[in-house]
Amino acid sequence: MAEQLSPDLRVNLCGVLLPNPLVLASGILGTTAELMERVAKNGAGAVTCKSCGPEPRAGHPNPTVLDWGPGLINAVGLANPGIDEAVEILRETRRRLQPLGVPLIASVFADSVKGFAEVTRRVCAVPPDLVELNISCPNVEAEFGRPFSLDPDAAAEVTRAARAVCDRPLLVKLSPNVTDVVAIGKAVVAAGADGLTAINTLGPGMVIDIESGWPILANRVGGVSGPAIRPIAVRIVYDLWAHLRVPIIGTGGVTCGRDVIEMIMAGATAVGIGSAVIQGGPAVFSRIAAEVRDYLASHGYASLNEIRGLAHARRHMEP
Amino acid sequence: MAEQLSPDLRVNLCGVLLPNPLVLASGILGTTAELMERVAKNGAGAVTCKSCGPEPRAGHPNPTVLDWGPGLINAVGLANPGIDEAVEILRETRRRLQPLGVPLIASVFADSVKGFAEVTRRVCAVPPDLVELNISCPNVEAEFGRPFSLDPDAAAEVTRAARAVCDRPLLVKLSPNVTDVVAIGKAVVAAGADGLTAINTLGPGMVIDIESGWPILANRVGGVSGPAIRPIAVRIVYDLWAHLRVPIIGTGGVTCGRDVIEMIMAGATAVGIGSAVIQGGPAVFSRIAAEVRDYLASHGYASLNEIRGLAHARRHMEP
Amino acid sequence: MRDGTWNPELPLPMTIREVRQETPAVRRFVLDGSLTAEPGQFIMVWLPGIDEKPFSLMNAQPVTLAVAEVGRFTRAMHQLSQGDRLWLRGPFGQGFTLEGRHLLLAAGGYGAAPLAFLARRARGEGRRVAVLVAARSRQHLLLVDEFRTLGCEVYTCTDDGSDSQPPRLAPQAVEELLTSLRPDALYACGPAGMLDALEALARQYHLPAQLSREAYMRCGIGVCGSCTCGDQLVCRDGPVFRIAG
Amino acid sequence: MRDGTWNPELPLPMTIREVRQETPAVRRFVLDGSLTAEPGQFIMVWLPGIDEKPFSLMNAQPVTLAVAEVGRFTRAMHQLSQGDRLWLRGPFGQGFTLEGRHLLLAAGGYGAAPLAFLARRARGEGRRVAVLVAARSRQHLLLVDEFRTLGCEVYTCTDDGSDSQPPRLAPQAVEELLTSLRPDALYACGPAGMLDALEALARQYHLPAQLSREAYMRCGIGVCGSCTCGDQLVCRDGPVFRIAG
Ligand SMILES: Cc1cc2nc3c(=O)[nH]c(=O)nc-3n(C[C@H](O)[C@H](O)[C@H](O)COP(=O)(O)OP(=O)(O)OC[C@H]3O[C@@H](n4cnc5c(N)ncnc54)[C@H](O)[C@@H]3O)c2cc1C
Ligand SMILES: Cc1cc2nc3c(=O)[nH]c(=O)nc-3n(C[C@H](O)[C@H](O)[C@H](O)COP(=O)(O)OP(=O)(O)OC[C@H]3O[C@@H](n4cnc5c(N)ncnc54)[C@H](O)[C@@H]3O)c2cc1C
Ligand SMILES: Cc1cc2nc3c(=O)[nH]c(=O)nc-3n(C[C@H](O)[C@H](O)[C@H](O)COP(=O)(O)O)c2cc1C
Ligand SMILES: Cc1cc2nc3c(=O)[nH]c(=O)nc-3n(C[C@H](O)[C@H](O)[C@H](O)COP(=O)(O)O)c2cc1C
Ligand code: FES
Ligand code: FES
């Protein structure tokens, strides 16, 4: 057999080099510097912190997260320590991640355009490698009103405001809970986003306990994630790539190497991993990275570039 | 122990009595009179025929339906024999179902408001017990343009046109693929719908074969059904019931008695069953009906009325 | 929560190890993978970008198919050669169940494929197996050598008598064999007309019969209602249907 | 496709079979159901409409909890009586592993609950178990009789000396017992300050120690990052952490 080089898992995400495409999704384990360092050491290609907002938030009461079988449902409610403490945590995280060569993505949210600009400005001082605007959390609607991600104009306005104060590559995280996600994607890219993260949780959904009649989440409804949402996420990544050709962190239901390859064939540059950490904890990253490497090696691909967007090139011939 | 009456599973759906709440969902097995009779004999409380449209349609090429694990994905593409033959099939179905006491729901679709009115008028001649407008199939967008269900005005217009020619109770089937499903529900109820069916398939989604890079469905994308979509369906039924209090056929991911009870606690009057037939075929209806009966009996409920909408009554006290 | 790949029925790729021209219209494809399946069960073969169609298993270990070129999809299959891949879902449906000590198998056209699988099982259990292979003409007689190698008694019949037998249709030949061989059970796969005639014969002779029928398949998993035969789904309740006789 | 209820971690209702006041602040709840669990593992208890909170198992078969009333949720629990229901998810986390022939268990407050479960297992395997039960004052000493019944040597210590022993804090009492009993392993559950002191002692005496720690729990399944202790997740990597000594 010919000598075979180990495939190159590195990806370029808006000018930032990731050692591999696996990105810890926001809201999963991203609460402390130590934990994010552990995730990086366990093989993540980038880590995203838990979304931080202008003020400390306790989040919703429990139950906040449930495993309902085909996926999770959560209404953590953007619990976070507020931007002041978040900046400290991010600084420390950056200090720990830099020697590992694992980029840091700072996820931010707010309840107003001004708030988004302010939080973005503050995190940029850290600085993180990329900034991600979470305009799409479906679990705080009662408080925050409709997420910005549900309307192209609102989404664009937030993006523009953040862009103006952001000197890092800027990602905007999209919601699947819209009729036309491409319209939102176009609006935020026109407003200055360098890339997209798709998708945030689906729904919201509800799971009811039939013994008591109570919706189980204290917030009654929550965002759905995990394997249940994978085909939706893949289709959205496919559509965004078809229309926009910007870097995308394809996120939603990825639990194994197969799913990563699928996302990249749909057009993703990198691949977010969230709910899958319940299967084996942070070690899930090295396991999945190995599966991706095996796939590339056994199929003779030197890098992920060779398969990115491949599904778009597969076009039926007319009979 | 006190003498216990067997619980009453009957439900009143827009004035039509169903022997139990389990409704065969449209597009599943509803192609021939013999098959629909078999489903009825196997314990369904009502059967919905495969959606029929103005003209015969071959539908999409294969693959059209896939089991991807947490659910199905399909792009059958509204294959149907056209209204002329459909009327014959429905007549024969009605003849066979009447002695069984199992109502027939005629599902119709078209690509224009006029078409909807015409097909509705034609099926009403059968007559079926109820008519269901399928304004929400996500698999024919390339051909038909945006489903009517994605816009309140379009949905209302179709409903109004069908209502004008429909002397049977009229259900409108809603899509989950909108930002505000309650707005669509309100619009169609204001336009004359007697009840709602929620939900049609989610998405669309996409599943890619990583060996070939091809989206597996020939239509590339398809609607997602089965367990994966259940929390979304439950939440939508909950929201519709909270705002509209009209009869709802709660549909999406129901596979067992537990799921039926959950839908009814969310506010459903009856419960649609589609993808679950892959688990045991038509016999799935009698199995699930028995599970519902057992639940009611063991919890001391005499009928489903006692638990309908129960989740709405469960309200957190402030601390 | 499990991973999203649990229990899916996604198409599984297999590579063609061998292609053999069996008759002018039929090729045998031996794949490099195996399935656990019963004779009479079928699979859906997917050629990405082309279509997905049902085929009976001629063998499951390794997966072997006998494919007649009749249209666009089967033409595309016939263009495949060793090393090419195809994708399959399944096995689906109810296969044959073995009954009787002395079996008569009647194969019309590519109906020989599932019956060859059945014959292998039956012979493996030491049952006596007679096979009638029927076709338009001699050169279209399928898998005659295969059945012989499996230790079956092989009879043939052709519409045009080119097999040096009197020209006959399959049902007539089967009726002759029923009288002469007195088998305990009849198994058949072939065109609908042939199967209908054999069903009538089975009732007339009070012989249990298992007939493998076709219908237009979409989902293959009993959901779409495309493959009905009366109130039966060919993909799920069939393709093999039993007549008590 | 399976049904949608496969492998979920939805709350499971159980009915209270018995409530017993153990100390002025702590009640024991015996439920009518069982779990397969290790000592040291915890469950999330959900009271619909109120909240969901973590509690160690005092026993798994039947599920038994010892709950101290400290706030809104535990107050609501204390209002429950026989026949009422509560819902649980779990068991979660890493429990104690048995090591050594002669164990010293140090229980601060409701920390006695998981240690009682551990003592039952250890005694069942014939290991020697000494227990220090510590509390503010005599009336708060939890599960002393339980440990005695299990065949443990029980020692107590109180902050105020109301147990007729010199007033001491738990770490001091533990250090005395380490010297006098020379156990092979130390197990402890109690307030964070106590555990930190015992961790230091374990290192000093080169004694393997397993400490059950607390943190603020949301998901319980290692997703939300709420329960960190350094780079460890208490819900998943803990709540029991081992020090080699
Ligand atoms: C259970 C079953 C087992 C079969 N086993 C074999 C086999 O072992 N070997 C073999 O050569 N053929 C077999 N067939 C028939 C095979 O599926 C068709 O020959 C093939 O689908 C033709 O496709 P095409 O595009 O080449 O031809 P087309 O031009 O598309 O069609 C030719 C004829 O094939 C049939 N056909 C087409 N599409 C389908 C479909 N989706 N489902 C069912 N029938 C269809 C129709 O009768 C049609 O008239 C089987 C069919 C069934 C239902
Ligand atoms: C692994 C573990 C095992 C536990 N085992 C037991 C036990 O066996 N018996 C027992 O009585 N208590 C146990 N607890 C503590 C118990 O969870 C808290 O006492 C309870 O949550 C208090 O809730 P409250 O509403 O009554 O009080 P609150 O007024 O809400 O809080 C009182 C204190 O309880 C703690 N607490 C509150 N909410 C949580 C939470 N979600 N997660 C962790 N701690 C919280 C905090 O330290 C808080 O200061 C355990 C905690 C953990 C983490
Ligand atoms: C418990 C939980 C908390 C989350 N919190 C956030 C958050 O704070 N910000 C955010 O942008 N997304 C958040 N998400 C969404 C995830 O980042 C991700 O987009 C989604 O879960 C889909 O990916 P998955 O299927 O791999 O989990 C959260 C998801 C979960 C399950
Ligand atoms: C193969 C298939 C075909 C369908 N065809 C139709 C249809 O023709 N008309 C329609 O209104 N809904 C159709 N649906 C949607 C179902 O009626 C139902 O709304 C959806 O599948 C969710 O329910 P389930 O999870 O129980 O399958 C179809 C679904 C499937 C899986
Ligand atoms: S092919 Fe779909 S039901 Fe048989
Ligand atoms: S409680 Fe969520 S990670 Fe531990």
Side-chain angles (χ1 to χ4, degrees):
Chain A
M1 256 175 68
E3 204 173 307
Q4 193 172 314
L5 291 169
S6 176
D8 184 0
L9 290 196
R10 289 175 304 174
V11 300
N12 177 328
L13 179 67
C14 305
V16 177
L17 191 74
L18 276 54
N20 71 56
L22 310 184
V23 178
L24 175 70
S26 181
I28 286 89
L29 303 184
T31 48
T32 71
E34 292 90 340
L35 201 48
M36 286 188 263
E37 180 188 19
R38 177 172 167 200
V39 170
K41 284 185 170 161
N42 270 277
V47 300
T48 315
C49 72
K50 170 83 192 162
S51 297
C52 59
E55 300 293 332
R57 282 178 57 88
H60 297 306
N62 270 347
T64 46
V65 185
L66 276 178
D67 177 351
W68 56 280
L72 303 184
I73 184 166
N74 93 81
V76 169
L78 295 173
N80 87 100
I83 186 66
D84 293 343
E85 194 178 325
V87 163
E88 294 313 311
I89 293 171
L90 288 170
R91 281 221 173 87
E92 174 64 16
T93 308
R94 179 183 149 83
R95 201 184 60 75
R96 289 168 181 253
L97 294 192
Q98 267 190 333
L100 304 172
V102 174
L104 171 63
I105 306 174
S107 170
V108 302
F109 76 92
D111 60 354
S112 66
V113 173
K114 252 194 165 151
F116 261 104
E118 174 59 11
V119 181
T120 303
R121 194 183 58 75
R122 293 286 307 279
V123 295
C124 282
V126 168
D129 297 283
L130 300 103
V131 173
E132 180 175 283
L133 304 184
N134 175 10
I135 61 168
S136 50
C137 179
N139 300 324
V140 287
E141 208 170 314
E143 241 171 303
F144 280 28
R146 285 273 188 89
F148 292 99
S149 60
L150 302 186
D151 177 73
D153 296 334
E157 199 187 340
V158 168
T159 307
R160 222 174 289 117
R163 172 78 289 170
V165 296
C166 179
D167 55 1
R168 316 303 305 177
L170 184 66
L171 302 166
V172 176
K173 186 158 180 184
L174 301 182
S175 166
N177 310 316
V178 294
T179 302
D180 187 354
V181 70
V182 171
I184 315 284
K186 282 184 178 162
V188 302
V189 168
D194 298 298
L196 302 169
T197 302
I199 54 178
N200 210 316
T201 53
L202 187 75
M206 176 182 282
V207 178
I208 297 170
D209 171 62
I210 67 159
E211 291 299 321
S212 64
W214 277 90
I216 302 177
L217 295 179
N219 189 49
R220 305 179 93 75
V221 301
V224 176
S225 62
I229 73 170
R230 204 188 71 236
I232 308 292
V234 169
R235 188 267 306 168
I236 288 176
V237 168
Y238 181 93
D239 281 351
L240 291 170
W241 174 248
H243 292 91
L244 287 158
R245 300 279 152 138
V246 294
I248 302 166
I249 306 182
T251 307
V254 171
T255 63
C256 58
R258 194 214 82 88
D259 302 345
V260 172
I261 300 297
E262 183 180 36
M263 277 290 183
I264 290 175
M265 286 180 165
T269 291
V271 176
I273 293 187
S275 305
V277 302
I278 81 166
Q279 300 159 3
V284 79
F285 287 93
S286 48
R287 195 251 301 156
I288 297 179
E291 290 166 0
V292 172
R293 192 174 290 112
D294 286 353
Y295 172 91
L296 293 178
S298 67
H299 290 69
Y301 294 117
S303 87
L304 292 164
N305 295 331
E306 297 181 33
I307 58 167
R308 183 162 300 110
L310 187 60
H312 298 262
R314 301 298 192 219
R315 301 242 136 244
H316 283 257
M317 306 292 148
E318 283 311 303
Chain B
M1 257 174 66
E3 204 174 308
Q4 193 172 314
L5 292 169
S6 176
D8 184 0
L9 290 195
R10 288 175 305 175
V11 300
N12 178 328
L13 180 66
C14 304
V16 177
L17 192 74
L18 276 53
N20 70 58
L22 309 184
V23 178
L24 175 69
S26 181
I28 285 90
L29 302 184
T31 49
T32 70
E34 293 89 339
L35 201 48
M36 285 188 265
E37 180 187 20
R38 178 173 167 200
V39 169
K41 284 185 170 161
N42 271 277
V47 301
T48 315
C49 71
K50 170 84 193 161
S51 297
C52 60
E55 302 293 334
R57 284 178 56 89
H60 297 307
N62 270 347
T64 46
V65 185
L66 276 178
D67 177 350
W68 55 280
L72 303 184
I73 183 165
N74 94 81
V76 170
L78 294 172
N80 87 102
I83 186 66
D84 293 344
E85 194 180 326
V87 164
E88 295 313 312
I89 293 171
L90 288 170
R91 281 221 173 86
E92 175 62 17
T93 308
R94 178 182 149 83
R95 202 184 61 73
R96 290 169 181 253
L97 294 191
Q98 266 190 333
L100 304 173
V102 175
L104 171 63
I105 305 174
S107 171
V108 301
F109 76 92
D111 60 356
S112 66
V113 174
K114 252 194 167 152
F116 261 103
E118 175 60 11
V119 181
T120 303
R121 194 184 59 75
R122 293 286 308 280
V123 296
C124 281
V126 168
D129 297 284
L130 300 103
V131 173
E132 181 176 282
L133 304 184
N134 174 10
I135 61 168
S136 49
C137 180
N139 301 325
V140 289
E141 208 170 314
E143 242 172 302
F144 281 30
R146 284 273 186 90
F148 293 97
S149 60
L150 302 187
D151 177 73
D153 296 333
E157 198 186 343
V158 167
T159 306
R160 222 174 288 115
R163 173 79 289 170
V165 296
C166 179
D167 56 1
R168 315 302 305 176
L170 185 65
L171 302 165
V172 176
K173 187 159 181 182
L174 301 183
S175 167
N177 310 317
V178 293
T179 302
D180 186 354
V181 71
V182 171
I184 315 284
K186 282 184 177 161
V188 302
V189 168
D194 298 301
L196 302 168
T197 302
I199 55 176
N200 210 317
T201 51
L202 187 75
M206 175 182 282
V207 178
I208 297 171
D209 171 63
I210 65 158
E211 290 299 322
S212 64
W214 278 90
I216 302 178
L217 294 178
N219 189 49
R220 305 178 93 75
V221 301
V224 177
S225 62
I229 73 169
R230 205 188 70 236
I232 308 292
V234 168
R235 189 266 307 170
I236 287 177
V237 168
Y238 180 94
D239 281 351
L240 292 170
W241 175 248
H243 291 91
L244 287 158
R245 299 280 152 140
V246 295
I248 302 166
I249 306 182
T251 306
V254 171
T255 64
C256 60
R258 194 215 82 88
D259 300 345
V260 172
I261 301 298
E262 182 181 36
M263 277 289 183
I264 290 177
M265 286 179 164
T269 292
V271 176
I273 293 185
S275 305
V277 303
I278 80 165
Q279 300 159 3
V284 79
F285 287 93
S286 48
R287 195 252 300 157
I288 297 178
E291 290 167 0
V292 172
R293 191 174 291 109
D294 286 353
Y295 172 91
L296 293 179
S298 66
H299 290 70
Y301 294 119
S303 87
L304 291 164
N305 295 331
E306 297 181 33
I307 58 168
R308 183 161 300 110
L310 187 59
H312 298 262
R314 302 297 192 220
R315 302 241 137 244
H316 282 256
M317 306 292 148
E318 284 311 303
Chain C
M1 197 184 101
R2 302 228 191 138
D3 70 29
T5 54
W6 102 98
N7 206 33
E9 297 269 10
L10 298 187
L12 191 74
M14 290 193 187
T15 302
I16 297 174
R17 211 161 62 185
E18 191 194 332
V19 183
R20 199 190 300 173
Q21 190 85 34
E22 294 286 346
T23 70
V26 176
R27 287 190 183 184
R28 179 199 303 229
F29 296 87
V30 185
L31 310 187
D32 70 343
S34 289
L35 293 173
T36 302
E38 295 301 313
Q41 286 191 296
F42 71 97
I43 55 171
M44 297 296 291
V45 176
W46 178 46
L47 296 181
I50 301 178
D51 212 325
E52 189 197 39
K53 297 282 180 181
F55 295 91
S56 296
L57 288 166
M58 179 180 150
N59 198 0
Q61 298 178 329
V63 173
T64 308
L65 307 173
V67 176
E69 187 180 328
V70 299
R72 176 162 170 269
F73 185 83
T74 47
R75 198 173 316 126
M77 281 199 73
H78 276 231
Q79 276 154 21
L80 300 177
S81 46
Q82 197 190 323
D84 286 341
R85 283 193 300 185
L86 38 79
W87 279 250
L88 22 120
R89 290 192 295 136
F92 297 125
Q94 309 301 318
F96 297 108
T97 48
L98 282 171
E99 58 182 322
R101 296 301 312 160
H102 182 187
L103 281 44
L104 176 59
L105 281 44
Y110 57 74
L115 293 175
F117 191 3
L118 177 71
R120 179 174 299 108
R121 279 281 168 92
R123 292 296 303 147
E125 295 185 6
R127 301 182 201 235
R128 186 175 157 200
V129 178
V131 185
L132 174 77
V133 180
R136 273 174 287 151
S137 64
R138 187 170 198 281
Q139 84 224 63
H140 291 291
L141 290 168
L142 186 62
L143 301 182
V144 168
D145 291 344
E146 179 85 11
F147 285 112
R148 288 221 174 91
T149 311
L150 291 170
C152 308
E153 306 147 41
V154 181
Y155 304 85
T156 63
C157 89
T158 54
D159 301 1
D160 62 2
S162 53
D163 61 342
S164 330
Q165 309 269 331
R168 290 158 312 167
L169 292 179
Q172 189 187 339
V174 166
E175 185 158 18
E176 290 168 21
L177 291 170
L178 290 186
T179 336
S180 61
L181 300 177
R182 305 209 150 274
D184 307 326
L186 176 64
Y187 294 82
C189 184
M194 165 184 156
L195 297 180
D196 292 343
L198 295 187
E199 179 167 346
L201 271 183
R203 294 196 198 277
Q204 181 188 332
Y205 284 80
H206 300 295
L207 189 69
Q210 295 182 32
L211 310 174
S212 177
R213 293 196 172 269
E214 294 191 0
Y216 197 87
M217 303 280 177
R218 288 180 202 275
C219 70
I221 51 177
V223 167
C224 72
S226 157
C227 65
T228 49
C229 173
D231 73 347
Q232 299 288 296
L233 297 169
V234 172
C235 74
R236 179 181 187 107
D237 305 310
V240 175
F241 294 97
R242 183 174 185 277
I243 288 98
Chain D
M1 197 184 102
R2 300 227 192 141
D3 71 28
T5 54
W6 102 97
N7 206 32
E9 297 270 9
L10 299 186
L12 191 74
M14 289 192 186
T15 302
I16 297 172
R17 211 161 63 184
E18 192 194 332
V19 183
R20 200 190 299 173
Q21 190 83 37
E22 294 286 348
T23 70
V26 176
R27 287 188 182 186
R28 178 199 304 229
F29 296 87
V30 184
L31 310 186
D32 71 343
S34 289
L35 293 173
T36 303
E38 295 302 314
Q41 287 191 295
F42 71 98
I43 56 172
M44 297 295 291
V45 175
W46 178 46
L47 296 180
I50 300 176
D51 212 327
E52 189 196 39
K53 297 281 182 183
F55 295 91
S56 297
L57 288 166
M58 179 181 150
N59 197 359
Q61 298 179 328
V63 173
T64 307
L65 307 174
V67 176
E69 187 180 328
V70 300
R72 177 162 169 267
F73 184 82
T74 46
R75 197 172 317 125
M77 280 199 74
H78 276 232
Q79 274 154 24
L80 300 176
S81 46
Q82 197 191 323
D84 287 341
R85 284 193 299 185
L86 39 79
W87 279 250
L88 23 121
R89 290 192 295 136
F92 297 125
Q94 309 301 318
F96 295 108
T97 47
L98 282 172
E99 59 182 321
R101 297 301 312 159
H102 183 188
L103 283 44
L104 175 60
L105 282 45
Y110 55 75
L115 292 176
F117 191 2
L118 176 71
R120 180 175 297 108
R121 281 279 169 91
R123 292 297 303 145
E125 295 184 6
R127 300 181 202 237
R128 187 176 158 199
V129 179
V131 185
L132 173 78
V133 181
R136 274 174 287 152
S137 65
R138 185 169 200 280
Q139 84 223 66
H140 290 291
L141 290 167
L142 187 62
L143 301 181
V144 168
D145 291 345
E146 180 84 13
F147 285 113
R148 289 223 173 90
T149 311
L150 290 170
C152 308
E153 306 147 42
V154 182
Y155 305 84
T156 63
C157 88
T158 54
D159 302 0
D160 63 359
S162 55
D163 61 343
S164 326
Q165 308 269 333
R168 292 157 310 168
L169 291 179
Q172 189 187 340
V174 166
E175 184 157 19
E176 291 168 21
L177 291 169
L178 289 186
T179 335
S180 60
L181 300 177
R182 306 208 150 272
D184 307 325
L186 176 64
Y187 294 82
C189 184
M194 165 181 154
L195 296 179
D196 292 344
L198 294 187
E199 179 168 344
L201 271 183
R203 295 195 198 279
Q204 180 188 331
Y205 284 80
H206 300 295
L207 190 68
Q210 296 182 32
L211 311 174
S212 177
R213 294 198 173 267
E214 294 191 1
Y216 197 87
M217 303 280 178
R218 288 180 201 274
C219 70
I221 51 177
V223 167
C224 73
S226 156
C227 65
T228 48
C229 173
D231 72 349
Q232 299 287 295
L233 297 168
V234 173
C235 73
R236 179 181 188 107
D237 305 309
V240 175
F241 295 97
R242 184 175 185 277
I243 286 101

